[in-house]
Amino acid sequence: GAVVSQHPSRVICKSGTSVKIECRSLDFQATTMFWYRQFPKQSLMLMATSNEGSKATYEQGVEKDKFLINHASLTLSTLTVTSAHPEDSSFYICSASYSYYGYTFGSGTRLTVV
Amino acid sequence: AQTVTQSQPEMSVQEAETVTLSCTYDTSESDYYLFWYKQPPSRQMILVIRQEAYKQQNATENRFSVNFQKAAKSFSLKISDSQLGDAAMYFCAYRSAPETSGSRLTFGEGTQLTVNP
């Protein structure tokens, strides 16, 4: 149980276009979703925390207008990378809290901007 | 703010041997949770083990056990009888008790574990 499905797993887009990444909780209600960015051989960097029905809370240094997060329902949260540039190329991971101390992670999205 | 430090960027172990990964953390809180996550080459994050700070007994999950030293703020992971499938990046993580500062995880830098046949 407590599965988060993340799509797409890989995406290549042209510079200047937007890309949407979806995370769906399949068997539980994800009231809180976390979005991370990970560079090769590095740790997970928290970008933002979203709660269902409210605006996301972004970490310092993360551009809100570039990384749009929507958490409109208890089963779906999306991250849209707007006007993507090569420096936005990275691995993005979502995670949801399903219990007091339980977290489940999506399988990640490898974004390449060309 | 809490910080988590993993001082070993890379570790290696022979198959069937035992290895210990180190983790220290800094906090002023008395109630919190500590985790070890594994990220294999697939990059899927997998929970290895969890420890509640109020529990003195060290957590154990099959071949994985922790040495939790609350006063020293140390939380090491011991992997016994290492297997090839244990090869992965291992992350130590901290979470405050929710009534204090929310439910986010703070991750360490990670330790890349190689298992040699």
Side-chain angles (χ1 to χ4, degrees), chain B residues 25-37:
Chain B
Y25 57 94
D26 187 25
T27 184
S28 58
E29 299 171 336
S30 59
D31 192 15
Y32 49 86
Y33 298 90
L34 295 165
F35 307 80
W36 278 99
Y37 283 93

Side-chain angles (χ1 to χ4, degrees), chain B residues 42-111:
Chain B
S42 68
R43 302 191 79 171
Q44 175 69 57
M45 294 288 285
I46 301 166
L47 175 66
V48 175
I49 201 164
R50 177 181 60 230
Q51 175 80 43
E52 292 90 334
Y54 65 87
K55 291 187 177 179
Q56 293 186 341
Q57 186 173 6
N58 290 324
T60 300
E61 287 287 342
N62 300 315
R63 298 182 295 106
F64 299 88
S65 61
V66 297
N67 184 359
F68 173 48
Q69 301 290 324
K70 192 172 183 179
K73 297 178 183 175
S74 171
F75 184 61
S76 61
L77 174 69
K78 185 171 83 171
I79 305 174
S80 305
D81 185 25
S82 297
Q83 300 176 359
L84 295 177
D86 295 332
M89 180 75 94
Y90 285 80
F91 293 101
C92 179
Y94 173 105
R95 177 229 161 119
S96 300
E99 50 271 23
T100 54
S101 57
S103 58
R104 60 185 291 173
L105 288 173
T106 300
F107 288 94
E109 305 91 333
T111 297

Side-chain angles (χ1 to χ4, degrees), chain A residues 102-114:
Chain A
Y103 298 83
T104 184
F105 291 80
S107 53
T109 297
R110 183 184 303 279
L111 170 63
T112 303
V113 184
V114 298

